[in-house]
């Protein structure tokens, strides 16, 4: 098997150089795919030029998520920002479609203080229905991502079962879970069984080790086991490398070289 396939997250990796120069770095390091949080600071043309020049594909980016620099982490559960959310969906579809991205991630956001729980859920579900419909028309998948409450206190969506319950209510065939192994380890653990049980509903996987959110092999998660497990259960997607290099990106890629050489040996 040639899985799992790894995508470099250009918001976290190769930050030694400006964003548009990270595409070349990723290709040079052996990645065939990339992902990132947001493309919106650049034009479609600027990004497409780099992607094409280096033979890469983009496998994921996020819907606009409010004022990131001010600490906002999504607006999809915010009752007073539905118009802004919908405008963001239109912008994201324009970018995603033009860049050949198969799926876009929707960050729920931090729950506004003192807000009514039923209203937050209804807002999130309604926004996801709207987004799923808009994305479906452009042949894109929609993802929602549980995020651990240690890194982002107050984040609205923390657990896999919550995400599945919300997707059940949304009822859109093109809506899936983005399963970030690092966030899942911190909130619920039970990684292998959860991936296996809900494989059909997981559209994308991301990784980092814990503690520290650094590269695989720096912490408590048994990544060689999990990579083999993803193969065994037949995960067909990409694994996004959304980690903070412990030192610099290049010196932290040993885990990938080791994994790749092991795979080459097994294939031979």
């Amino acid at each position: 098997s040639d899985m799992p396939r790894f995508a470099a997250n250009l918001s976290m990796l190769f930050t030694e150089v400006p964003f548009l120069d990270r595409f070349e770095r990723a290709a040079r390091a052996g990645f065939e795919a990339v992902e990132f949080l947001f493309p919106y600071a650049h034009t479609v043309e600027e990004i497409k030029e780099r992607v094409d020049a280096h033979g890469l594909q983009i496998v994921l980016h996020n819907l606009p998520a409010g004022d990131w620099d001010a600490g906002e982490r999504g607006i999809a559960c915010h009752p007073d920002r539905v118009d802004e959310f919908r405008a963001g969906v239109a912008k994201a579809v324009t970018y995603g479609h033009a860049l050949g991205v198969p799926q876009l991630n929707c960050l729920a956001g931090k729950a506004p203080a003192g807000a009514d729980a039923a209203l937050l859920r209804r807002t999130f579900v309604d926004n996801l229905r709207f987004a799923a419909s808009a994305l479906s028309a452009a042949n894109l998948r929609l993802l929602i991502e549980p995020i651990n409450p240690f890194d982002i206190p107050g984040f609205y969506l923390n657990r896999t079962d919550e995400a599945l319950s919300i997707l059940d209510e949304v009822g859109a065939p093109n809506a899936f879970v983005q399963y970030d192994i690092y966030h899942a380890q911190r909130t619920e653990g039970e990684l292998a069984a959860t991936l296996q049980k809900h494989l059909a509903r997981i559209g994308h996987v991301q990784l980092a080790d814990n503690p520290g959110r650094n590269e695989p092999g720096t912490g408590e998660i048994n990544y060689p086991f999990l990579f083999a497990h993803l193969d065994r259960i037949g995960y067909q997607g990409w694994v996004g490398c959304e980690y903070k290099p412990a030192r610099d990106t290049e010196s932290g890629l040993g885990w990938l070289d080791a994994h790749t050489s092991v795979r080459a040996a097994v294939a031979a």
Side-chain angles (χ1 to χ4, degrees):
S1 159
D2 60 350
M3 296 172 287
R5 302 170 295 168
F6 297 100
N9 186 298
L10 300 186
S11 302
M12 305 274 274
L13 302 187
F14 307 106
T15 56
E16 300 83 10
V17 297
F19 179 74
L20 289 173
D21 295 336
R22 294 174 198 168
F23 292 86
E24 181 195 5
R25 292 289 176 100
R28 217 164 61 201
F31 289 100
E32 293 170 13
V34 297
E35 61 177 37
F36 39 76
L37 290 176
F38 309 109
Y40 312 112
H42 302 277
T43 65
V44 164
E45 291 73 25
E46 282 176 314
I47 296 171
K48 197 162 170 35
E49 185 190 333
R50 304 297 175 110
V51 171
D52 293 347
H54 302 294
L56 293 163
Q57 56 179 308
I58 304 171
V59 298
L60 176 83
H61 67 73
N62 291 344
L63 303 186
D67 188 343
W68 196 261
D69 295 333
E72 291 186 338
R73 291 296 178 263
I75 57 171
C77 73
H78 291 218
D80 56 340
R81 294 174 76 173
V82 172
D83 291 345
E84 182 187 348
F85 177 83
R86 290 184 169 202
V89 168
K91 184 176 192 175
V93 167
T94 300
Y95 269 83
H97 194 57
L99 292 171
V101 183
Q103 54 199 358
L104 303 175
N105 181 34
C106 174
L107 292 170
K110 300 174 191 173
D116 175 66
L119 176 61
L120 290 186
R121 181 167 178 123
R122 192 161 68 244
T123 303
F124 191 36
V125 167
D126 287 348
N127 275 336
L128 290 173
R129 281 190 185 136
F130 175 88
S133 175
L135 267 62
S136 180
N139 201 26
L140 298 168
R141 300 199 298 179
L142 175 67
L143 305 175
I144 60 172
E145 179 184 14
I147 290 179
N148 83 73
F150 306 104
D151 286 3
I152 307 183
F155 195 79
Y156 181 71
L157 182 64
N158 301 135
R159 300 176 56 90
T160 306
D161 54 6
E162 290 175 349
L164 293 169
S165 163
I166 283 162
L167 290 177
D168 286 344
E169 199 174 325
V170 171
N174 65 323
F176 296 85
V177 175
Q178 176 166 308
Y179 185 87
D180 184 311
I181 293 167
Y182 163 76
H183 290 309
Q185 172 70 353
R186 296 203 69 181
T187 49
E188 61 194 27
E190 196 62 13
L191 305 170
T194 304
L195 283 163
Q196 185 162 5
K197 182 177 181 186
H198 300 299
L199 183 68
R201 305 188 69 182
I202 293 171
H204 189 59
V205 171
Q206 291 178 321
L207 64 75
D209 217 330
N210 184 58
R213 204 177 185 179
N214 305 132
E215 56 266 21
T218 54
E220 68 190 354
I221 301 174
N222 183 349
Y223 271 110
F225 168 80
L226 280 182
F227 295 152
H229 179 72
L230 285 168
D231 278 359
R232 234 182 352 257
I233 64 177
Y235 175 66
Q236 300 285 334
W238 292 85
V239 177
C241 302
E242 193 184 28
Y243 64 80
K244 295 182 288 204
R247 292 185 304 284
D248 64 290
T249 304
E250 304 285 349
S251 70
L253 285 172
W255 70 271
L256 184 62
D257 298 336
H259 179 67
T260 310
S261 60
V262 165
R263 306 190 69 82
V266 169

